[in-house]
Amino acid sequence: MSKIIVIANQKGGVGKTTTAINLSSAIALAEKDILVIDSDPQANLTSGLGITRGSIAKSLYDVYSEGISAEQVIMGTLLPHLHIIPATVDLLGLEIELVNRKERESILKNALAPIRERYKYIFIDCPPSLGLLTLNAMVAADRVLIPVQCEYYSLEGLSYLEDTLRRVRASFNARLDIEGILMTMFDSRNSLSHQVYEDVKRHYPDKVYSTIISRNITLAEAPSHGKPAVLYDYRSKGAQNYLALAKEILNEGSAG
């Protein structure tokens, strides 16, 4: 049974794209077929997996704007079990183009329906805002994975996102729920990191992953080389963190 997971947080800089790149790659290494969808006009997920602008014939924009099937825009990556629907900067103007389109919030859901069962997981990387791109992702998804940076305002951001999820559930997708909360950019030498982790775990005792993503230079360097951390430096702490998260998610999936 396939599962569609949107990686979302209305706060920027929390590790959404880093998580999309590295979690999908880590699970693909376990020979599970994975699709990632770059739903951010910045297209950092696309470039971070080694896809250059010149190599993209069709992108997510064409699925929305031209009604092209999702299958026609899927591209391969450096990992044989990992595929991507890439993004381009064209997504920037999409909301204006679709303003009068009927059922515009369900375009992505309908596009993924014919292909979703081919993949163990489909991960959708979102921009840090609740616009039409994020709404489409949440309507299409079964669950939301929330990266949370270990900093002071994290709980406040989580409460805003929970309110968003309630609104989406009420109007568009009643099944949408939190898959898990991932603590990112953790610094073991910093007491604030420990405090934030404990605070989030106290408020969401059953949702916080055991795996914590530490601050690690490899996670910052790897995208500039067009590689996930597991290919750039397999032994790095960042790569090992995401391999541990992949194992945790796969184990939970097999148990559930």
Side-chain angles (χ1 to χ4, degrees):
M1 181 92 179
S2 177
K3 184 183 284 188
I4 300 177
I5 299 175
V6 57
I7 300 174
N9 191 324
Q10 286 159 250
K11 189 178 186 306
V14 299
K16 290 189 299 296
T17 301
T18 297
T19 295
I21 291 172
N22 292 292
L23 175 57
S24 63
S25 298
I27 298 178
L29 282 178
E31 299 186 346
K32 307 296 183 184
D33 289 325
I34 306 297
L35 176 66
V36 287
I37 301 172
D38 193 347
S39 191
D40 189 335
Q42 295 182 82
N44 290 333
L45 170 62
T46 300
S47 61
L49 285 174
I51 308 296
T52 62
R53 179 67 183 94
S55 69
I56 300 172
K58 299 292 181 181
S59 68
L60 183 62
Y61 171 81
D62 298 288
V63 174
Y64 279 109
S65 183
E66 305 296 331
I68 289 174
S69 72
E71 185 170 18
Q72 289 179 270
V73 301
I74 292 173
M75 298 181 68
T77 70
L78 293 170
L79 292 164
H81 290 275
L82 180 62
H83 296 89
I84 183 173
I85 293 180
T88 62
V89 71
D90 297 329
L91 284 175
L92 277 172
L94 189 70
E95 302 210 8
I96 297 172
E97 290 185 40
L98 299 181
V99 68
N100 294 317
R101 178 88 67 89
K102 288 183 179 179
E103 298 184 352
R104 58 188 178 274
E105 70 282 345
S106 300
I107 296 172
L108 185 59
K109 176 185 177 182
N110 295 335
L112 294 179
I115 64 166
R116 67 170 289 168
E117 292 305 324
R118 300 181 193 176
Y119 298 97
K120 174 74 173 177
Y121 292 103
I122 297 175
F123 293 104
I124 309 173
D125 185 31
C126 288
S129 61
L130 184 63
L132 191 56
L133 289 167
T134 300
L135 180 58
N136 261 269
M138 289 187 173
V139 171
D142 304 302
R143 295 289 187 268
V144 181
L145 191 158
I146 309 170
V148 175
Q149 187 177 356
C150 290
E151 65 163 31
Y152 185 71
Y153 290 109
S154 294
L155 278 173
E156 186 177 290
L158 272 171
S159 66
Y160 290 146
L161 184 56
E162 272 209 300
D163 183 59
T164 297
L165 295 181
R166 280 192 291 271
R167 291 168 184 260
V168 173
R169 277 195 292 264
S171 300
F172 302 109
N173 184 0
R175 74 183 185 281
L176 188 66
D177 198 3
I178 295 174
E179 173 77 7
I181 296 171
L182 177 66
M183 304 306 298
T184 65
M185 305 180 195
F186 183 86
D187 185 346
S188 60
R189 301 163 299 177
N190 187 334
S191 61
L192 179 61
S193 284
H194 293 276
Q195 181 184 331
V196 170
Y197 173 72
E198 293 301 330
D199 286 348
V200 174
K201 201 166 184 179
R202 186 167 59 252
H203 281 82
Y204 303 90
D206 301 321
K207 294 296 184 183
V208 180
Y209 289 112
S210 299
T211 304
I212 298 172
I213 308 302
S214 301
R215 284 192 179 276
N216 180 253
I217 189 64
T218 297
L219 295 176
E221 289 178 349
S224 67
H225 295 268
K227 293 181 178 180
V230 291
L231 293 184
Y232 180 68
D233 184 357
Y234 184 85
R235 294 182 179 86
S236 68
K237 194 167 189 178
Q240 292 300 312
N241 284 167
Y242 277 105
L243 287 165
L245 178 63
K247 185 175 181 180
E248 184 175 351
I249 287 175
L250 287 170
N251 286 342
E252 286 177 358
S254 60

